[in-house]
Amino acid sequence: MKFNTKTIHGGQENTDPAYGAVMPPIYQTSTYSQTTPGAHKGFEYSRSANPTRTALENSLASIENGKYGLAFGSGLAAIDAILKLFKPGDEIISTNDLYGGSYRLFTSIFKDFGIKFHFIGMENANDIENYINENTKLIWTETPTNPMMNIIDIEAVSKIAKKHKILLAVDNTFATAYLQQPLDLGADIVMHSATKYLGGHSDVVMGSVVVKDEELAEKLYFIQNASGAIAGPMDSFLVLRGIKTLHLRMKRHSENGRAVAEFLNSHPKVEKVYWPGFEDHPNHEIAKKQMKDFGGMVSFTTKENSMKDAVKFVENVKVFTLAESLGGVESLAGHPASMTHASIPKEEREKTGVVDSLIRLSVGIEDEEDLIGDLKQALRS
Ligand SMILES: *Cc1c(COP(=O)(O)O)cnc(C)c1O
């Protein structure tokens, strides 16, 4: 099955054996009747499994070219479950340009449970080897990174991980399986905030994990059930519905993303545009190699590097909405230094380029002319 068919049919055989409903019903139930203790139709209690969630989990596994999918109550709940694979004394090497909430979870929760983190730039994959020792258990990466749009070579990192028998997890939220398939590039775990492009309509918070390896899947299912941060049936239905148009939306996000990046790049008030589709982007060649297109996320700085100007810009946009989050059909503008990345200390975030004038756009699927017109008027003011 090709990707554009998988988004609609992947893993969806027989999702409603009762009546043949084309869309899996929302099984809004906590429990399932048994004829004699232990005899049931595959479902006992909805923390362990729920048919609507299972339908979504199968779809997730299919689009990522994995075998096992798991849906959680949020992206962070998904990351939390992955980190519970590890024990005190274990070490994790993470990219230093990552989602602020992931950084907070690592340093404010898991650090206190005795897991040691190294935050490093991964644009040059070979740098990772300097941090590997016998306690290293996981490499955590995100590409394109948030919000600097750095590109990390998944295949090169996976070779290092394999050489040292370390797991590699990729947060694929920005690219989605439409643009890049980390498991095919050698990653062991692919994670998503399904809140973003997978759901795609800014109406649900959810996380997902997909793996190929059975043993790893069993451990994760155990954690999912034992810790219980599952996705609910209604939310599972919404994300399943979202995935059915993922390919159409991502194509359009990428087209509009390109138009916005090119417009900003030619604007006199703009200092620098961060978008991996530019030929002079430091890892453009890798982006071209591992991604189908460049997506809808674009960050930029203005020439006046001031918090005040950046805040004014995001207040003045009209078609774009000033809001946290990304990946919905509507365009959003955000100010990382005071919003998504406020939980990262100023010195730490400025090291990776998250300066006060940085603005991050999630370019939606509206008409290109309206989007550019809006940016033009907001930059004027
Ligand atoms: C939003 C986001 C997360 C966290 O997901 P939630 O669904 O908000 O918990 C993790 N990684 C990235 C890249 C994100 O954008």
Side-chain angles (χ1 to χ4, degrees):
M1 225 185 260
K2 291 278 198 335
F3 186 81
N4 297 351
T5 311
K6 279 188 181 175
T7 56
I8 297 163
H9 299 292
Q12 298 305 296
E13 307 77 28
N14 203 25
T15 47
D16 177 29
Y19 300 109
V22 167
M23 267 308 277
I26 303 164
Y27 284 93
Q28 195 72 50
T29 186
S30 59
T31 191
Y32 308 81
S33 68
Q34 309 190 3
T35 47
T36 183
H40 51 73
K41 296 179 173 159
F43 296 91
E44 315 177 71
Y45 185 63
S46 284
R47 174 163 29 73
S48 314
N50 168 285
T52 318
R53 193 174 89 228
T54 300
L56 170 67
E57 291 177 332
N58 292 340
S59 166
L60 291 164
S62 167
I63 61 170
E64 287 286 356
N65 287 343
K67 274 197 183 150
Y68 307 94
L70 300 97
F72 293 89
S74 70
L76 285 174
I79 303 176
D80 180 83
I82 294 167
L83 290 208
K84 284 176 179 154
L85 292 166
F86 306 102
K87 293 190 302 297
D90 287 349
E91 297 191 13
I92 293 174
I93 303 173
S94 165
T95 165
N96 59 5
D97 178 18
L98 83 164
Y99 179 68
S102 310
Y103 180 85
R104 182 177 54 198
L105 178 64
F106 294 170
T107 56
S108 301
I109 308 256
F110 281 95
K111 200 169 131 238
D112 292 344
F113 285 100
I115 294 176
K116 187 170 173 191
F117 293 89
H118 303 270
F119 294 97
I120 66 166
M122 291 189 181
E123 291 73 49
N124 184 355
N126 292 328
D127 293 348
I128 297 171
E129 286 207 296
N130 300 331
Y131 295 85
I132 294 177
N133 61 45
E134 70 276 14
N135 296 324
T136 313
K137 296 289 155 62
L138 177 75
I139 299 173
W140 181 270
T141 184
E142 216 180 285
T143 179
T145 64
N146 179 12
M148 298 314 297
M149 306 305 295
N150 288 318
I151 299 292
I152 290 159
D153 188 338
I154 299 172
E155 200 170 10
V157 176
S158 88
K159 282 191 181 133
I160 292 166
K162 284 201 166 59
K163 182 171 143 201
H164 296 275
K165 299 195 167 60
I166 301 167
L167 292 173
L168 169 62
V170 177
D171 181 337
N172 205 25
T173 302
F174 270 37
T176 80
Y178 173 82
L179 295 175
Q180 108 194 335
Q181 302 193 306
L183 296 178
D184 286 352
L185 298 167
D188 302 284
I189 301 173
V190 57
M191 171 266 150
H192 271 272
S193 168
T195 311
K196 317 295 168 54
Y197 287 107
L198 294 186
H201 297 73
S202 306
D203 51 10
V204 64
V205 173
M206 193 194 280
S208 72
V209 174
V210 176
V211 300
K212 272 185 175 164
D213 181 71
E214 189 180 350
E215 202 185 314
L216 186 55
E218 269 167 17
K219 285 184 189 160
L220 287 163
Y221 282 124
F222 182 85
I223 293 167
Q224 186 191 37
N225 184 45
S227 287
I230 48 155
M234 179 70 198
D235 290 354
S236 297
F237 174 86
L238 286 172
V239 172
L240 194 54
R241 166 205 258 248
I243 289 173
K244 287 176 191 284
T245 55
L246 180 66
H247 52 299
L248 295 176
R249 289 185 287 107
M250 289 312 290
K251 183 165 184 281
R252 181 58 181 242
H253 281 297
S254 299
E255 286 162 9
N256 281 354
R258 172 184 300 275
V260 163
E262 282 169 358
F263 162 74
L264 289 171
N265 209 27
S266 66
H267 197 284
K269 281 194 181 165
V270 171
E271 169 88 38
K272 187 159 172 53
V273 182
Y274 299 90
W275 179 66
F278 289 131
E279 268 173 34
D280 63 356
H281 181 285
N283 275 346
H284 174 69
E285 287 309 314
I286 294 161
K288 248 179 33 189
K289 186 184 74 171
Q290 73 187 14
M291 298 171 78
K292 187 170 173 168
D293 205 334
F294 306 106
M297 298 302 298
V298 181
S299 296
F300 70 98
T301 53
T302 48
K303 284 208 170 121
E304 278 129 288
N305 180 15
S306 80
M307 182 77 105
K308 211 175 106 246
D309 283 318
V311 168
K312 206 158 164 211
F313 173 88
V314 292
E315 284 172 353
N316 281 339
V317 285
K318 293 193 174 72
V319 180
F320 281 80
T321 303
L322 169 59
E324 303 261 5
S325 200
L326 61 109
V329 289
E330 65 288 299
S331 292
L332 301 180
H335 182 240
S338 62
M339 296 167 71
T340 45
H341 289 62
S343 52
I344 302 181
K346 189 175 159 84
E347 317 79 72
E348 210 41 53
R349 70 176 152 75
E350 294 210 331
K351 263 192 241 162
T352 61
V354 184
V355 294
D356 287 347
S357 74
L358 187 79
I359 290 158
R360 190 191 78 178
L361 302 177
S362 169
V363 182
I365 62 172
E366 301 95 334
D367 193 277
E368 181 188 312
E369 255 178 59
D370 291 330
L371 296 179
I372 288 176
D374 190 32
L375 296 174
K376 230 181 235 168
Q377 69 78 23
L379 280 165
R380 210 178 301 131
S381 53

